[in-house]
Amino acid sequence: MALSTPGSGTSTGAGPRSLTDPDGVRAPSLVGAVIGAEVRSSSLWRDAFRRLLRNRLAMGGGVVIVSLVLIAIFADVLAPRPYTKTNFGRLNEAPTRDYPLGTDQLGRDMLSRMIYGARVSMLVGLGAQIIIVTIGVPIGAVSGYLGVRADLYITRFIDVMYAFPQLLFVILVMSMLGAGLWNIFIAIGLTGWVGIARQVRAQVLALKEKEFVDAARGLGAGFVRLLSRHILPNALTPIVVAVTFGIPQAIFTEAALSFIGVGINPPTPSWGQMVGEGQQYIRSYWHLCVFPSIAIAVTMLAFTFFGDGVRDALDPKLK
């Protein structure tokens, strides 16, 4: 083991150089502090993954989510008919062998439209979260790390954004941009980043004074490297949980927008749009809105169960 003496700049023996404080007490190695933090982070993720695998509800939700993603990817192969193909001889038909989920008011196959609706829902959920993370994480990280005046201004702006009802704000943005899939991405992304920004700010405030951050700073790490390599990787827990719960929220927001007619442009199918079109026929043709409503409910439950499992698995108190 290397030994060093107070006031001496040399050390004897093999191994990394160690530091001493003014009183002559041996201080931990900077490199060791950084490496120890990385090892603990890696161990945390491994333990969290094992706990997640033991959660049956979370795994059930994960299976449903994976199934929905596969359906969305292979919709062109799985759909028995084109979602725009009409059959005016079989309008509003109840479920039969030829049409397992029936037909709509234009004679289109409900099963095919449900399959393509899964693609829209997955695209909205994932696309909106990419925009939210891209906006919210840097703002929260910069606010928490810089502190003082910059943090004050950014926090006040976040508070103002947080005061607006999100769904109402999304509707207003969609009214200006118009209906469409890309506009839904933009509307949800521009209004949904506030929550994740606040969570990242809180994590950065807690982490920036930790020993491994001081060690990395002492080794010469700059502002960008400190955030990207040392602070944010250790703040991933709330980000992952927020994204997991944000996906179903985005899907539900898209369904609400399509229900009121400012979401997906017809004839592209959306579960919310299908519910909106079929709700006026609920007494006569129940299948028009019941099946897409069930799809929305199952998707929300699956993401909720999986999100709860991820949150519990990443909870340090359960380690």
Side-chain angles (χ1 to χ4, degrees):
M1 180 179 299
L3 299 175
S4 60
T5 58
S8 173
T10 60
S11 60
T12 60
R17 180 182 177 183
S18 59
L19 303 178
T20 58
D21 61 18
D23 297 327
V25 180
R26 184 174 181 274
S29 169
L30 295 179
V31 177
V34 176
I35 294 176
E38 294 176 352
V39 171
R40 289 192 297 273
S41 177
S42 175
S43 177
L44 170 65
W45 288 103
R46 286 198 301 268
D47 294 342
F49 183 69
R50 295 191 189 99
R51 287 196 293 269
L52 183 62
L53 291 178
R54 292 196 294 266
N55 190 323
R56 294 184 179 180
L57 279 178
M59 286 295 95
V63 170
V64 174
I65 292 170
V66 172
S67 301
L68 289 172
V69 171
L70 293 176
I71 290 172
I73 294 174
F74 299 105
D76 297 327
V77 178
L78 297 175
R81 296 173 179 84
Y83 65 85
T84 56
K85 184 178 181 180
T86 59
N87 187 346
F88 294 107
R90 309 183 73 168
L91 303 180
N92 295 320
E93 186 174 290
T96 61
R97 179 177 297 180
D98 294 335
Y99 296 94
L101 299 184
T103 61
D104 64 5
Q105 60 272 23
L106 296 179
R108 296 172 296 191
D109 182 22
M110 287 286 292
L111 177 59
S112 299
R113 292 181 63 79
M114 289 281 293
I115 291 174
Y116 280 97
R119 173 178 289 181
V120 170
S121 295
M122 292 298 105
L123 283 175
V124 169
L126 296 175
Q129 289 307 304
I130 291 175
I131 297 177
I132 288 172
V133 170
T134 302
I135 297 175
V137 171
I139 291 178
V142 170
S143 176
Y145 187 83
L146 294 182
V148 196
R149 182 172 297 180
D151 184 35
L152 177 62
Y153 292 149
I154 295 175
T155 303
R156 295 292 79 80
F157 176 69
I158 292 175
D159 291 340
V160 170
M161 292 291 297
Y162 197 76
F164 287 97
Q166 184 178 354
L167 182 57
L168 179 59
F169 202 179
V170 171
I171 294 174
L172 291 176
V173 174
M174 288 298 298
S175 299
M176 292 186 296
L177 298 178
L181 183 61
W182 287 104
N183 290 342
I184 291 178
F185 290 166
I186 296 172
I188 297 177
L190 290 178
T191 59
W193 60 269
V194 179
I196 197 169
R198 297 179 71 177
Q199 293 180 353
V200 171
R201 172 185 173 273
Q203 288 292 310
V204 172
L205 284 173
L207 289 171
K208 70 178 184 179
E209 303 298 336
K210 295 292 185 180
E211 291 82 359
F212 68 92
V213 177
D214 290 335
R217 190 181 293 112
L219 289 172
F223 170 73
V224 176
R225 185 176 179 84
L226 280 173
L227 284 178
S228 61
R229 295 292 300 274
H230 301 286
I231 296 179
L232 287 180
N234 288 279
L236 281 179
T237 297
I239 297 175
V240 172
V241 174
V243 169
T244 306
F245 283 108
I247 291 175
Q249 184 178 359
I251 293 174
F252 184 78
T253 301
E254 179 276 321
L257 293 173
S258 298
F259 180 85
I260 63 178
V262 295
I264 300 298
N265 282 318
T268 304
S270 162
W271 292 340
Q273 179 193 84
M274 295 168 70
V275 173
E277 293 175 348
Q279 54 90 20
Q280 57 183 324
Y281 306 108
I282 184 65
R283 294 180 181 271
S284 304
Y285 309 110
W286 57 271
H287 63 284
L288 294 181
C289 62
V290 168
F291 289 131
S293 298
I294 292 175
I296 294 173
V298 170
T299 304
M300 297 290 288
L301 280 175
F303 275 103
T304 300
F305 289 151
F306 186 73
D308 286 337
V310 171
R311 181 187 59 196
D312 294 341
L314 295 174
D315 189 351
K317 296 179 181 178
L318 299 178
K319 184 175 180 181

